[in-house]
Amino acid sequence: QVQLVESGGGLVQAGGSLTLSCAASGSMFSIAGMGWYRQTPGKQRELVAAITRGASTNYADSVKGRFTISRDNTKNTVYLQMNSLKPEDTAVYYCNADIISGRPYPYPYWGQGTQVTVSS
């Protein structure tokens, strides 16, 4: 069984910064892609940023230039540095990891979600 544990959410004023962390643990050989998604009430979960094992990154247009995703493969951890936060960034942020274990293909696991609230 694999667990993803997120930390770092909270309340911040507009223009401020937060860093989210997500650590994977459990039975696995390695981790392929990792990413951060967010969701607000009544809306679909959307991709915020993703990173491959080789550190290639992809960002939603709405966060380009403000957010930075990174990972530490030795710690099975992915980070999301969020700068110049806006009220519209308020959401529950979820960590995702494609875990390579005994299955033929990487299997996606999700964290429990962490609330980020940006006040105006």
Side-chain angles (χ1 to χ4, degrees), residues 42-97:
K43 293 189 177 181
Q44 286 190 330
R45 193 172 295 186
E46 63 174 4
L47 175 68
V48 176
I51 185 168
T52 67
R53 185 168 182 82
S56 295
T57 59
N58 180 42
Y59 295 93
D61 288 342
S62 59
V63 307
K64 282 181 181 176
R66 300 188 298 121
F67 291 10
T68 301
I69 189 170
S70 61
R71 64 189 285 175
D72 184 337
N73 292 331
T74 66
K75 297 181 179 179
N76 292 330
T77 300
V78 63
Y79 306 94
L80 186 67
Q81 174 67 44
M82 304 184 293
N83 299 327
S84 302
L85 282 160
K86 304 175 181 179
E88 51 263 43
D89 294 318
T90 296
V92 177
Y93 284 70
Y94 295 91
C95 169
N96 168 269

Side-chain angles (χ1 to χ4, degrees), residues 10-18 84-91 115-120:
L11 174 65
V12 64
Q13 287 188 333
S17 298
L18 282 175
S84 302
L85 282 160
K86 304 175 181 179
E88 51 263 43
D89 294 318
T90 296
Q115 177 70 46
V116 172
T117 302
V118 184
S119 63
S120 56

